[in-house]
Amino acid sequence: MSTAPKIATEAPEFPKEHYLNAKKGFKSWALTVDHKRIGLMYLVSVLTFFLLGGLFALLVRLELLLPGAQLVEQKTYNQLFTLHGVVMVFLFIIPSIPAALGNFFLPLQLGAKDVAFPKMNLFSFYIYAAGAIIAIVAMITGAVDTGWTFYTPYSLTTNTGVVATVFAAFVLGFSSILTGVNFIVTIHKLRPPGMTWYRMPLFLWALYATSVIQLLSTPVLAITLLLLISERLFGVGVFDPALGGDPVLFQHFFWFYSHPAVYIMIVPAFGIISEIIATFARREVFGYKFVALSSVAIAVIGFFVWGHHMFVSGQSEFAGLVFSFLTFFVAIPTAVKIFNWTATLYKGDIQLRTPMIYAIMFLIQFTIGGLTGLPLGALGTNVALHDTYYVVAHFHYVMMGGTVFAFIGGLHYWWPKITGKMYDEKLGNIGAVLLFIGFNVTFFTQFLLGFRGMPRRYFDFDPEFAGLHAFSSIGSWILGVGFLVTMWCFIKSLRSGEVAGKNPWGGTTLEWTTQSPPIAHNFIDTPTVSTGPYDHENSPALSGRAA
């Protein structure tokens, strides 16, 4: 196991012209149709909201350091954990990989000069920005306290800013839909000569599957949120039992979108991990076709498992049995990925660079998240664990230990291509280790809290839970320090990082054949593809052939 790429590269020079300086001035950015600039604007936006959501999380853990009130009263606490969920889910984790990294790298990996509909791409960013502004205004004027799921009937009666926050999520959904349409058409119509479906990088397969989910499921959420707004404003009686409505119907509608939304969050992360492992193991991904098609299988099966969120909602035993079976069934294509990644690492020439460290941490934490989901998919154990801290821990092992760690790993992996600068490997490694320690101290402890019966969302708790809560809160501080170190690693890179060159990692996909940072239209000539995406012997990115 070595720690540096084998490839030899010439002394790189920072390019004089690239997408960042091709056109200057605020107007050139505000009206840009360059997918890279749009991706960068998404990236800055989602990272800003990630910091905001993380601050809310730290305040929640600080409040739970000891029994009793520490910082805030009960209503404010409810608003804090709700805002943490709303910001992290709708403003960060759903758009983080598809809209930010996907926008930047889908055309580059595809050998295209841009996405199929560049103006619609910019429009989708402005829709995201509009939804974000509405959400911020709602936070300031009357922060919602319902939890990020907006469950009825409480969301129909609370005097907090439900309508504004729900409308923000409604607007944000249109950005996801337009991005999904754009990606699907781009992959279908703009593949270069020779790039068949089974010569596409696995990141593109993941984005394609994610786009299908966005296109089919997001309208359901939009209609559900619109009905909730109508209920609040006009009393239409869809969810309010006092008006003949059914509050459980809201849960069915909401989770029909929101469980596929889990895959909107995690499937792109699978694509990133495939790219990192292929590059730093110096091997073609084992069982490439199975890994590619498993993304599609997850997208399809994911539409049929929403009911496992509702085992205690009063649905029939037969419905519970069916949803339990489908929950276990959807784990099969996910397990295919884990086993195939592990097989790829077996006897690989592993380069233990910072992105690869994040990929390994992803494999550990996502596996824990998957295995701890089994008791929640089984009817008997779900009843005991439902709405306890066990669910909080499981959710964060999948979403944060999986998606967020993959996102940060992908950011490290593609940082040289985005900025043209390398970062300090030691500093990157220190940040990764701190994040790993802090994350597991914070959330593995919460499995124990859940097993002992600690309910989630509670403002106060019995003294018997005090030790575990304190330990979890200490872990959140380590996690926060890890993020600060990682942020400084990137800032330092921008200020004084070494010039990256075209292909500092020895990657084999088409983005590594362009200069770093890329020119405005990516490629001088349209590339022709004659090999698979992870052919380490014949890749043009390694042989020095022009793209």
Side-chain angles (χ1 to χ4, degrees), residues 29 32-43 99-100 103 118 121-125:
W29 281 84
T32 185
V33 291
D34 185 345
H35 69 96
K36 297 180 293 299
R37 287 191 169 194
I38 294 170
L40 193 59
M41 290 191 293
Y42 267 119
L43 183 61
N103 248 314
N121 199 22
L122 179 63
F123 184 48
S124 70
F125 172 74

Side-chain angles (χ1 to χ4, degrees), residues 50 92-93 96-97 101 266 269 272-273 276 354-366 396-413 431-440 443 479 482-483 486:
F50 181 64
F92 168 66
I93 202 166
S96 61
I97 299 179
L101 296 181
I266 195 64
I272 289 176
I273 297 303
I276 293 175
T354 303
M356 188 62 183
I357 292 173
Y358 276 99
I360 293 171
M361 293 190 299
F362 171 93
L363 290 177
I364 295 170
Q365 291 166 172
F366 185 77
H396 281 83
Y397 263 88
V398 173
M399 292 295 99
M400 187 173 183
T403 302
V404 175
F405 272 69
F407 170 72
I408 299 172
L411 198 54
H412 281 85
Y413 178 61
V433 171
L434 286 172
L435 290 176
F436 183 75
I437 294 171
F439 173 82
N440 285 284
F443 293 107
L479 194 59
F483 281 121
T486 302

Side-chain angles (χ1 to χ4, degrees), residues 115-130:
V115 293
F117 306 116
K119 291 182 180 179
M120 189 169 78
N121 199 22
L122 179 63
F123 184 48
S124 70
F125 172 74
Y126 280 120
I127 292 175
Y128 170 82

Side-chain angles (χ1 to χ4, degrees), residues 1 15 37-38 84 92 94 126 136 154 174 221 230 244 256 265 289 298 350 493 525:
M1 185 180 297
R37 287 191 169 194
I38 294 170
H84 166 67
F92 168 66
I94 287 178
Y126 280 120
I136 292 171
Y154 181 66
F174 285 96
L221 176 70
S230 301
F256 183 82
M265 304 173 204
K289 289 185 179 180
I298 290 170
I350 298 174
S493 166
D525 299 309

Side-chain angles (χ1 to χ4, degrees), residues 431-452:
V433 171
L434 286 172
L435 290 176
F436 183 75
I437 294 171
F439 173 82
N440 285 284
V441 170
T442 302
F443 293 107
F444 197 85
T445 306
Q446 294 179 12
F447 283 124
L448 304 179
L449 281 167
F451 271 125
R452 296 181 63 177

Side-chain angles (χ1 to χ4, degrees), residues 244-259:
D246 183 2
V248 177
L249 181 63
F250 178 87
Q251 293 188 39
H252 279 289
F253 285 166
F254 183 85
W255 287 115
F256 183 82
Y257 160 79
S258 292
H259 196 83

